[in-house]
Amino acid sequence: MDDRYWDERYGAEEQLFSGHPNGALVAEVAGLTPGQALDVGCGEGADALWLAGQGWHVTAVDISRVALERAAALPDGDKVSRVRADLTVAPPPAGVFDLVSVQYYPLPHQPDHAALRRLLAAVAPGGRLLFVSHDLAAFTEHHHHPEIDPADYYGPDEITALLDDGWTIEVDEKRARANPPAADARNVPDVVLRARRDA
C-alpha cells in the first residue's frame, strides 16, 4: 500500500470518500480546546477542514499526491497545511501536536514499532492521540480485499499496550459507526481509542 497504490485508488474515482468528517472524530474532538493538530492519512481532506473550522491549526499528511491535490482544491483548502510523506519512514516532529488524529489509517506492523512510537512521540504534553479503526473481526467478515490483510496493521488494543504510565486512556471502546447519511451498507463497528499524554 505505497504511494502508487493510493494514487491509483484515488485516481480511479472522482471522489473516493463521502466528503464528510469522520463521526468518531467529531464526537471525540468537539469539546477539546483547539491547538496544533496532525491529521494522519488525511485523504481528500474532510477531517482536516472540519478541524480547521473548529479553530485547529492543522497539518494534514498523506502519501498520495492525488489525494492531497484533491484536498487542496476544496473550498477553504488553503486553511490547512498539507505535507506529502510516508509516515512509516518520515516521522512527524516530536512533542508538537495537541491532537494526533489517526482515522482508519493502515499503519503496518513493524518489529520495533518505530513508526507507531514516532506518532506517539508527536503528541505534546497534555495533548491527545485519537486512533480510530474498523473492528478487524467484522471488517474481515464483510470486506474482501485479497491484497489487504487487516491483521498486518495496528489496532487500538496494540497501541494501548505500548502506552506507558505517562498516558491516561480516556476512551477505549467499540461502537456503531457514526456515518453521514450517504454512507453505504458495508458498515462495520468502530474501535475508538483516545489517550492523553500527561503534562
Side-chain angles (χ1 to χ4, degrees):
M1 299 177 72
D2 56 10
D3 56 344
R4 181 177 176 180
Y5 170 91
W6 285 108
D7 281 345
E8 289 177 353
R9 187 170 176 193
Y10 281 107
E13 300 185 42
E14 184 175 339
Q15 182 173 326
L16 185 59
F17 296 110
S18 71
H20 301 281
N22 283 304
L25 173 74
V26 174
E28 296 301 325
V29 173
L32 301 182
T33 301
Q36 297 288 335
L38 178 66
D39 183 9
V40 176
C42 66
E44 293 162 312
D47 285 356
L49 278 183
W50 182 83
L51 286 166
Q54 304 302 304
W56 293 85
H57 300 281
V58 185
T59 300
V61 180
D62 205 282
I63 197 172
S64 171
R65 174 189 54 80
V66 175
L68 290 172
E69 289 176 353
R70 198 168 288 175
L74 292 173
D76 296 325
D78 58 347
K79 293 182 178 180
V80 174
S81 298
R82 280 169 296 278
V83 178
R84 185 181 179 197
D86 179 354
L87 291 177
T88 64
V89 296
V96 169
F97 298 101
D98 304 294
L99 173 69
V100 172
S101 175
V102 186
Q103 305 282 316
Y104 311 103
Y105 177 71
L107 182 63
H109 289 130
Q110 294 177 323
D112 58 359
H113 310 300
L116 175 55
R117 291 186 188 281
R118 290 192 294 258
L119 280 180
L120 297 178
V123 180
R128 287 170 173 86
L129 170 75
L130 176 61
F131 190 98
V132 180
S133 74
H134 301 295
D135 175 50
L136 291 182
F139 184 90
T140 303
E141 179 182 350
H142 294 289
H143 294 254
H144 302 285
H145 298 288
E147 75 280 14
I148 301 173
D149 182 353
D152 290 339
Y153 303 94
Y154 287 100
D157 56 333
E158 296 169 292
I159 295 171
T160 300
L162 289 174
L163 299 179
D164 59 24
D165 292 341
W167 291 84
T168 300
I169 296 174
E170 298 179 322
V171 176
D172 184 7
E173 65 183 38
K174 185 187 300 185
R175 65 176 72 147
R177 189 172 186 189
N179 284 300
D184 63 28
R186 298 176 295 170
N187 267 341
V188 296
D190 282 337
V191 184
V192 180
L193 170 66
R194 192 180 80 188
R196 177 174 52 83
R197 181 185 288 281
D198 297 339

